[in-house]
Amino acid sequence: MERQQFQLDSFLRGNIKDLKPYSSARDEYSEVSGDMVFLDANENPFQNGVNRYPDPQQYKVKSQLSKLKDISTDNILLGNGSDEVLDLIFRAFCEPNMDAIITLPPTYGMYDVLANINAVRNIKIQLSSDFEPNYDDVLSAANAKTKLLFLCSPNNPTANSFKAATIEKLILNFNGIVIIDEAYIDFSKDESWIRRLKEFPNLIVTQTLSKAYGMAGIRLGVCYASTQIISILNRIKPPYNVNELTQLKALERLSKPIAISEEIKRILEQRDWLILELKKIEFVDTVYASDANFILVKVDDANTRYTGLIQQGIVVRNRTNQPLCENCLRFTVGTQQENIKLITALTNL
Ligand SMILES: Cc1ncc(COP(=O)(O)O)c(C=O)c1O
């Protein structure tokens, strides 16, 4: 299929087109020796490990990710969690009180929150009953004002990955930017879409260190896109948006890919065990297939079962008020001991 001509400039928010970014003290010089004296940023000169501002471009972390993911550092932008990355995308492309986005509920709640914060209309096109995007409905809802389309795959809370053929058709035919939120991609049997970025100039892929990488506490989100899109997001990001401690911790963790893969393997084994056990619980109606580190389960009465679990000291996510999720609870896969506790508590209800 031939994609239509894509002109990034025509999707940019007016005031961003000509924005002059903040130029930080460390952006304005080239090193002449490895022993420069820094009297430019009003820092405290006494060393304690974090007395200096962090690298605003997070060069070391990006280099590490570039090697791991086999992608150029120019195609990477880092944020204070992927939530910050998503917010930057709104600010770059959506004119407040004018533009719109399309999301596919039930899905990750922050898209709607960010749309509200940025005064952007959120057009919600519900997933089909098997949790797939309704391709025709999405395209019919698109118009000159719908700048962004959010696809969360694997999707939170339904846990499935969308069919690759549908995603591809949406990227090719949606006349705007498509964001694939791959927060859970490391648990998935499917390949990341970052492999296909070169084919699709309107594609942004977001990932995070909060899930499979076990680093939710450091807040590090990753955005992969064309160099053109990355340079625009770079212009509007706060200069020091990823702090020094986060960069150090991320580097340490990213240098241990085998340990990360082993944890993922254990989580997936536990997921399979939980699915088998959940199916045996008498008040469980449906255990949906999972391509992530959580499981969506339909029970007889989600509110009662949720409260019953809290009383036994177990917190899960009650999704009963989400479309298509009536009486559904979402269970994150924990350690073996935690999962045994969950199954025991459910059996006691
Ligand atoms: C689909 C999805 N995207 C993004 C995030 C947020 O990621 P981060 O911790 O990087 O902000 C979450 C967190 O639950 C999520 O479920």
Side-chain angles (χ1 to χ4, degrees):
M1 216 185 303
E2 191 67 25
R3 70 153 295 112
Q4 48 200 293
Q5 191 68 21
F6 175 79
Q7 292 295 342
L8 186 63
D9 257 10
S10 65
F11 294 98
L12 265 187
R13 198 173 136 192
N15 61 324
I16 300 295
K17 269 186 201 149
D18 311 312
L19 180 85
K20 196 171 174 305
Y22 176 76
S23 174
S24 80
R26 302 286 141 80
D27 288 333
E28 292 177 351
Y29 77 98
S30 318
E31 243 177 42
V32 293
S33 79
D35 197 19
M36 306 285 286
V37 176
F38 292 110
L39 303 177
D40 56 343
N42 304 342
E43 298 148 330
N44 177 330
F46 298 107
Q47 287 189 26
N48 61 16
V50 287
N51 58 311
R52 298 290 177 192
Y53 282 101
D55 172 7
Q57 279 305 320
Q58 310 99 17
Y59 183 72
K60 288 183 184 156
V61 181
K62 283 185 189 167
S63 304
Q64 190 88 301
L65 278 171
S66 152
K67 277 183 228 141
L68 283 173
K69 304 278 177 174
D70 190 22
I71 191 167
S72 159
T73 52
D74 296 339
N75 296 109
I76 306 176
L77 174 118
L78 301 180
N80 181 9
S82 38
D83 287 347
E84 185 187 43
V85 169
L86 297 172
D87 188 46
L88 290 175
I89 296 169
F90 272 88
R91 290 199 270 147
F93 297 108
C94 297
E95 202 75 62
N97 299 310
M98 205 163 109
D99 285 335
I101 61 159
I102 300 181
T103 62
L104 314 183
T107 193
Y108 181 46
M110 273 306 279
Y111 313 139
D112 195 48
V113 174
L114 289 169
N116 286 330
I117 292 170
N118 288 285
V120 170
R121 194 155 74 93
N122 181 8
I123 301 173
K124 298 176 185 173
I125 308 292
Q126 198 170 298
L127 294 174
S128 64
S129 55
D130 57 351
F131 303 144
E132 288 288 337
N134 278 308
Y135 174 76
D136 292 331
D137 294 352
V138 173
L139 281 202
S140 324
N143 57 41
K145 294 194 156 55
T146 48
K147 297 289 173 61
L148 309 174
L149 167 63
F150 285 88
L151 304 177
C152 184
S153 186
N155 185 42
N156 176 7
T158 57
N160 62 309
S161 294
F162 298 151
K163 286 192 184 105
T166 314
I167 294 182
E168 180 161 349
K169 274 202 305 182
L170 285 169
I171 304 170
L172 283 167
N173 295 310
F174 176 70
N175 189 27
I177 313 269
V178 176
I179 297 103
I180 306 185
D181 182 339
E182 292 189 338
Y184 300 98
I185 191 68
D186 304 287
F187 301 107
S188 171
K189 56 184 172 3
D190 288 354
E191 274 232 321
S192 165
W193 285 83
I194 64 173
R195 296 271 64 80
R196 313 277 310 269
L197 276 174
K198 283 210 172 73
E199 289 168 62
F200 307 119
N202 62 331
L203 176 62
I204 297 179
V205 177
T206 60
Q207 295 185 0
T208 177
L209 266 67
S210 299
K211 309 295 177 185
Y213 284 77
M215 300 252 103
I218 70 170
R219 312 301 299 125
L220 190 68
V222 191
C223 174
Y224 299 97
S226 69
T227 52
Q228 239 189 326
I229 293 179
I230 294 296
S231 76
I232 285 154
L233 298 178
N234 251 324
R235 291 221 305 259
I236 62 174
K237 82 172 183 63
Y240 302 111
N241 62 328
V242 179
N243 72 68
E244 180 71 16
L245 299 176
T246 295
Q247 295 191 39
L248 290 173
K249 272 283 179 194
L251 269 179
E252 191 186 306
R253 183 70 168 155
L254 291 171
S255 68
K256 298 182 186 120
I258 294 169
I260 298 165
S261 307
E262 269 162 17
E263 285 180 14
I264 294 171
K265 192 166 153 260
R266 284 166 66 188
I267 291 168
L268 294 182
E269 282 163 9
Q270 282 299 305
R271 178 184 73 190
D272 292 346
W273 179 82
L274 261 182
I275 289 174
L276 287 178
E277 294 302 311
L278 286 165
K279 285 182 175 165
K280 296 180 197 160
I281 308 274
E282 161 260 325
F283 57 80
V284 164
D285 180 80
T286 314
V287 180
Y288 293 100
S290 171
D291 203 28
N293 67 330
F294 54 89
I295 305 164
L296 190 72
V297 178
K298 192 186 270 301
V299 296
D300 56 348
D301 181 344
N303 293 334
T304 310
R305 302 303 174 186
Y306 173 81
T307 313
L309 284 173
I310 294 274
Q311 278 158 0
Q312 296 183 71
I314 296 180
V315 189
V316 301
R317 195 84 157 116
N318 186 353
R319 298 282 75 186
T320 191
N321 293 326
Q322 297 291 306
L324 302 175
C325 293
E326 198 187 349
N327 283 320
C328 284
L329 299 174
R330 192 194 70 194
F331 301 123
T332 304
V333 180
T335 61
Q336 185 176 30
Q337 289 90 323
E338 289 170 335
N339 301 330
I340 291 171
K341 268 192 196 162
L342 171 66
I343 295 297
T344 312
L346 287 169
T347 314
N348 290 339
L349 281 177

